[in-house]
Amino acid sequence: MLAKTFSATLRGMEPIKIEVEIDAVRGAPKFIIIGLPNKAIDEAKERITAALLHCGIRPKSKRTVVNLAPANLKKSDNAIEFAIIVALLQLYQKIKLNTDTAIFLGELSLDGSLRPIRGALPLVIAAKEMGFKSVFLPQANELEVNIIHGIKIYPVKHLNDFIAFANHRASALKSLRPHKFSQTQMKHTLDFADIRGQTQAKRALEICAAGGHNLMMIGPPGAGKSLLAKTFPSILPPLTEREAIEVTKIFSIAGLTYKTGLIHQRPFRNPHHTISQAGLVGGGSNLKPGEISLAHRGVLFLDEIPEFSRAALEALRQPMEDGVVTIARAAGSARYPASFILLAAANPCPCGYYGFKQKRCHCSPLAIARYQQRLSGPVLDRIDVKLSVAAVAIKALTKKEKQANETSAEIRQRVIQARQRQLKRYRSTDYLTNSALLSKDIEKYCHLTEAANQLLSEATKRLGLSARSYFKVIKVAKTIADLAGVNRIETDFIAEALQYR
């Protein structure tokens, strides 16, 4: 008797349906798994045997062959183990459940309990799109999948619970009741009201938050660049349902959602400058997402950006331009979303005080030139806003000079309103923010007054702006117009956008 069940695995973000076939054939007693399993899946034979014994089921002394189809795809995901043991239970006639419209995801423990898996959310969504009616998965993964509608989800803690359910004891397992998504504004320990001075920097950060633009801050040590960057998430709008699912998918694949469930807070990734190219972009034997994908719909903060390796920085070109990253390795290729706001901070020279009046720079002109050339022109050209951050005057730090600064909540409200204007404007497209606009759609959505157009043309000739920089000025100006609640791009908006180039 041939038994068949279904499971699934992921190659990057791409789900692949796995058909598990199992049969007892003539020959010496042996448990064989074919279909290009890796070492971890091949070891599942021992876990399956131990799990069956803990459930009071003695494996039969027969030559048992498990086939994982498609046979040409290497299998490296332990989530297939649950489907294998369910097929084995069918072969032994220990369960009566019809599994033709069900999919099974889970890694087995020796005692028969199910361990959490990576990628539960994208796999459940894929199961729904493939037409399956129900999915069985580890109970530890239920937090991240409890907002999925349209498919019955059964969290399973132990194999005994599934066996009881499969033999028509409905009380053994209960399907999840889907929760309704609700936007959540997270509490932040840092607030813009606590940052003295830096009025221009705060304005630039507000523009970047509203339009999703990349920003680079250059200034001496202690000027507050890192503090400004770490306070930036406090003015970002909460994640929409679509964005929350996108972010949680990536974190789920990376195995970071077992305890958090669905992610409601925009990611803020702050990798150290010693990070490798694979750690930043993604890769490895399992083609895992890197920091730039984990920053999707959030912030990637590169402090001391000139200290990062040249290869890692150059690898940022494609994701900064296209919002996706493609990882190609000998084992295969994977494509991950990487639409993030890049915040970069740098000193003007190795010692950090070049151009600083209060302290003398001790760097030679050659050392300064080499330091500043660590960032290539193409990478710099992809940064929308460039900002010089000066040291805050001592008077601004004293209590006597303390002024009532705007809170992050007040700034965030303007950012949310600007984002809502963009969502409304781009509702028939895939765009979410102005920064994502392609050049071909600039003329359609960004209308300049005649005076603004003339100012931009003159500035382009005088400053020698590239075509990319020209369009970035327009997109930044459009965000400034959205913050002002104005439809057309006026001269003042272009002038402010130009000063950030």
Side-chain angles (χ1 to χ4, degrees), residues 312-325:
L313 293 177
E314 291 303 312
L316 290 175
R317 288 193 192 184
Q318 181 208 1
M320 287 174 68
E321 191 74 14
D322 303 330
V324 295
V325 58

Side-chain angles (χ1 to χ4, degrees), residues 368-439:
I368 295 171
R370 284 179 175 173
Y371 185 80
Q372 294 179 349
Q373 288 171 2
R374 290 183 184 179
L375 281 176
S376 67
V379 172
L380 285 171
D381 205 35
R382 286 168 167 81
I383 297 176
D384 309 54
V385 176
K386 302 178 182 71
L387 187 67
S388 177
V389 181
V392 181
I394 298 298
K395 287 184 178 180
L397 299 176
T398 62
K399 293 182 180 179
K400 292 181 180 179
E401 296 293 329
K402 184 178 179 180
Q403 297 178 352
N405 295 326
E406 275 192 308
T407 64
S408 292
E410 292 172 321
I411 301 173
R412 183 172 61 244
Q413 192 55 42
R414 292 197 297 269
V415 170
I416 291 173
Q417 290 174 356
R419 287 277 185 118
Q420 288 173 345
R421 291 177 64 89
Q422 292 166 65
L423 288 173
K424 183 178 180 181
R425 182 165 59 244
Y426 305 133
R427 60 184 177 273
S428 60
T429 70
D430 291 330
Y431 300 134
L432 295 178
T433 58
N434 292 327
S435 62
L437 268 177
L438 297 177
S439 302

Side-chain angles (χ1 to χ4, degrees), residues 80 82 89 95 108 191 195 209 215 225 278 285 288 377 400:
I80 302 172
F82 191 16
L89 290 169
I95 58 174
L108 287 169
D191 196 287
I195 299 178
L215 168 73
K225 303 185 295 295
S285 58
K288 287 186 178 180
K400 292 181 180 179

Side-chain angles (χ1 to χ4, degrees), residues 218-280:
I218 302 175
K225 303 185 295 295
S226 297
L227 178 61
L228 286 164
K230 290 175 182 177
T231 312
F232 181 68
S234 67
I235 64 171
L236 291 173
L239 288 169
T240 63
E241 182 176 3
R242 168 185 166 184
E243 291 174 326
I245 290 175
E246 288 178 4
V247 172
T248 308
K249 276 184 177 182
I250 300 169
F251 275 71
S252 179
I253 292 170
L256 301 174
T257 55
Y258 298 153
K259 297 180 180 179
T260 62
L262 191 73
I263 294 174
H264 289 82
Q265 185 171 5
R266 291 188 182 273
F268 182 86
R269 308 298 295 185
N270 182 14
H272 192 260
H273 63 78
T274 57
I275 190 172
S276 66
Q277 181 181 348
L280 188 64

